Amino acid sequence: MLFLIPSDERNKLQSKSLECIFLEFEKGVNGFKIYDMANKKKNLNRDVVFDEASMPNEEANDDCERGLVTKIPITTKISDSKIDEVRQEMVLEEHRFIAQERPRRVSKPPQMYGWDDENDERFDSYMLKIGYKRSEYDCCVYSHVFNNGTIILLMLYVDDMLIAFRDMSKIDELKGLLGGEFDMKDLGVAKKILRMEIKRDQKVEKLWLSQKRYIHKVLQKFSMLDAKAVSTPLASHFVLSAKQCPSTDAKMEEMVKVSYANVVGCFMYAMVCTRPDISQAVSVVAKYMANLGKEHWNAIEWILRYLKGTKELGIMFERQHGENNIVWFVDSDYAGDLDKRRSTMQYVFTCADGPISWRSILQPTSALSTTKAEYMEITEASKEAIWLKGLVNDMGLKQNLVL
């Protein structure tokens, strides 16, 4: 793909175009997201020419399928060395962001931030060597079954690790094995993980997850600590639509100064971790990040006020004696979207009396009836149910069915 350089930004001796890689096209954004290989920068531009006659590079395409390169369908003839250079730069950029934002917790091998395929295979082969099995449903979950039927779990996320088992001696034994093979630091019993705070009470057999400190920092960042709290995530008088977006350049420039995408990103992180109660509200306001209006920002402030009054809330899990089945609830809001009349699909899965997976998002197409909208919702929820059933079975919670 070629990116055309405007005449006022080049001299007569410079080329009229630059060779770039197409990254993605976002709905509602007037332009293509591209990667400038010469300057190693991401740009958004409309003046591009696609080379549709060229076939994607096979090696790069395989990497995309494995998740090494995300959303880079290559549409031009590019050498393997340039592809590797782009891949390394994007991976390093992602890891730099994670290194700045993520907290410390149980076990921390510092060198894992820049791990490549070779080190990933090394860790995987070592876990298999000491008798652990990698989950087929989540490649970052390892388990080992002892002779008495108990299961020890190891969960890995980038450079952080959690180990769960009833017998502390077995946990210490595994830590010793890993410490002899990798550089690690033991942070003791997990009290925080990815900005989620963990509280447990073994007497009543309950565990709580919350993000009180994270939400407090978000409120402080956007100067909402002194705001008046409200009791609902999004009030009924907020009827948001694209008609409320600014229509003139002056109004657009005024709203560009607002940190709309930043605060929506903060909402999303809280939503996917411990706050399913704001899922629907966040899915509504997230639609207008490309061109927001004042009414959309008022809705953002309302959600912040709701978080101020509910920052103590979180998720509670309670041990169940007997069968511990996954229970799911599904619903859809038929044609609730005012812009394209698409339906909103929503589901939540619970286990041990607490939600473990949830979603609230617009359906990709417009349903012609409530029945079709429900079928589409059940189909998506069924996919999640199949995955969850396999994952919890690997973790020792045998599921004959998902209710």
Side-chain angles (χ1 to χ4, degrees):
M1 186 184 74
L2 297 179
F3 159 49
L4 305 180
I5 305 176
S7 58
D8 57 345
E9 296 182 10
R10 59 181 171 84
N11 56 44
K12 295 181 179 180
L13 300 178
Q14 285 182 316
S15 174
K16 295 182 179 180
S17 62
L18 287 175
E19 192 178 50
C20 298
I21 297 177
F22 170 69
L23 297 179
E24 63 179 342
F25 175 76
E26 298 181 0
K27 292 183 179 179
V29 179
N30 192 13
F32 302 94
K33 188 177 288 188
I34 60 177
Y35 184 80
D36 182 358
M37 295 178 295
N39 299 318
K40 298 181 180 180
K41 293 182 179 180
K42 297 178 184 179
N43 295 314
L44 186 67
N45 202 284
R46 294 181 298 175
D47 300 324
V48 298
V49 177
F50 290 92
D51 184 6
E52 299 182 0
S54 301
M55 295 297 292
N57 179 280
E58 287 187 0
E59 180 181 353
N61 193 42
D62 292 342
D63 288 343
C64 287
E65 293 178 358
R66 292 197 302 267
L68 299 179
V69 182
T70 306
K71 297 182 181 178
I72 308 184
I74 301 175
T75 56
T76 186
K77 294 180 180 179
I78 304 174
S79 64
D80 294 344
S81 60
K82 289 185 177 180
I83 294 172
D84 292 337
E85 181 181 355
V86 172
R87 181 192 308 148
Q88 292 173 5
E89 180 64 21
M90 294 186 68
V91 170
L92 288 174
E93 180 179 346
E94 178 183 357
H95 285 179
R96 281 194 293 268
F97 172 76
I98 294 174
Q100 294 173 0
E101 295 295 329
R102 299 207 13 262
R104 299 168 64 87
R105 60 180 166 97
V106 175
S107 299
K108 195 177 192 68
Q111 298 154 338
M112 203 176 291
Y113 272 126
W115 268 23
D116 52 16
D117 294 343
E118 182 179 351
N119 285 320
D120 185 25
E121 293 175 0
R122 178 189 165 202
F123 183 85
D124 185 59
S125 61
Y126 182 76
M127 294 301 296
L128 298 177
K129 179 181 176 181
I130 61 178
Y132 280 73
K133 178 184 176 183
R134 190 174 192 173
S135 173
E136 297 179 359
Y137 298 89
D138 192 325
C139 61
C140 295
V141 175
Y142 295 86
S143 62
H144 176 73
V145 183
F146 293 99
N147 295 332
N148 59 1
T150 56
I151 298 179
I152 184 172
L153 298 173
L154 183 148
M155 290 150 283
L156 184 69
Y157 183 82
V158 186
D159 70 329
D160 290 336
M161 188 183 302
L162 279 177
I163 303 173
F165 193 57
R166 298 178 181 177
D167 189 352
M168 196 65 192
S169 62
K170 295 294 184 182
I171 295 179
D172 293 335
E173 181 182 343
L174 177 57
K175 289 179 182 179
L177 292 173
L178 293 173
E181 186 70 17
F182 306 96
D183 293 332
M184 305 179 67
K185 182 179 180 181
D186 184 8
L187 300 181
V189 178
K191 296 182 179 179
K192 291 193 299 183
I193 168 175
L194 302 176
R195 295 187 178 180
M196 291 183 287
E197 301 165 30
I198 304 173
K199 180 183 177 182
R200 57 181 66 81
D201 190 335
Q202 296 182 354
K203 293 182 179 180
V204 296
E205 298 180 328
K206 293 183 180 180
L207 182 144
W208 293 267
L209 293 178
S210 66
Q211 290 177 287
K212 177 182 176 181
R213 294 181 183 177
Y214 172 74
I215 293 175
H216 180 83
K217 290 181 179 179
V218 172
L219 295 172
Q220 185 178 31
K221 180 178 180 179
F222 296 102
S223 303
M224 294 293 289
L225 285 176
D226 298 327
K228 183 179 178 181
V230 294
S231 59
T232 56
L234 196 63
S236 58
H237 66 267
F238 285 106
V239 185
L240 304 182
S241 68
K243 294 181 180 179
Q244 297 165 335
C245 297
S247 54
T248 63
D249 293 341
K251 292 182 179 179
M252 289 182 182
E253 291 180 1
E254 180 183 353
M255 296 307 297
V256 165
K257 302 175 183 179
V258 179
S259 302
Y260 192 87
N262 195 345
V263 67
V264 170
C266 295
F267 289 161
M268 287 184 174
Y269 188 74
M271 175 192 70
V272 300
C273 292
T274 63
R275 299 302 299 264
D277 53 326
I278 64 172
S279 296
Q280 190 273 337
V282 173
S283 68
V284 171
V285 297
K287 295 186 295 183
Y288 307 103
M289 288 194 292
N291 187 17
L292 70 145
K294 290 185 177 180
E295 191 64 19
H296 305 139
W297 179 251
N298 291 337
I300 288 287
E301 291 182 333
W302 184 277
I303 299 175
L304 286 169
R305 291 169 60 189
Y306 172 74
L307 289 177
K308 180 183 184 297
T310 60
K311 61 182 178 181
E312 303 278 352
L313 294 183
I315 299 175
M316 184 194 75
F317 298 99
E318 184 176 6
R319 183 178 180 181
Q320 302 295 303
H321 298 278
E323 292 188 359
N324 199 359
N325 291 321
I326 294 177
V327 182
W328 56 312
F329 305 89
V330 185
D331 193 14
S332 64
D333 176 22
Y334 177 64
D337 178 38
L338 298 179
D339 300 323
K340 298 183 179 179
R341 285 301 174 187
R342 291 186 292 177
S343 304
T344 301
M345 55 182 182
Q346 304 169 91
Y347 62 73
V348 59
F349 290 81
T350 65
C351 186
D353 278 354
I356 58 174
S357 178
W358 54 86
R359 194 180 190 191
S360 176
I361 192 172
L362 285 179
Q363 292 180 349
T365 58
S366 299
L368 300 181
S369 66
T370 56
T371 303
K372 291 183 178 179
E374 294 288 353
Y375 272 125
M376 293 168 65
E377 169 61 21
I378 292 174
T379 300
E380 292 299 320
S382 298
K383 296 177 185 177
E384 185 75 4
I386 294 171
W387 176 77
L388 279 174
K389 180 181 177 181
L391 180 62
V392 297
N393 280 336
D394 285 350
M395 299 176 71
L397 297 175
K398 298 301 179 182
Q399 300 287 312
N400 296 322
L401 52 90
V402 178
L403 303 178

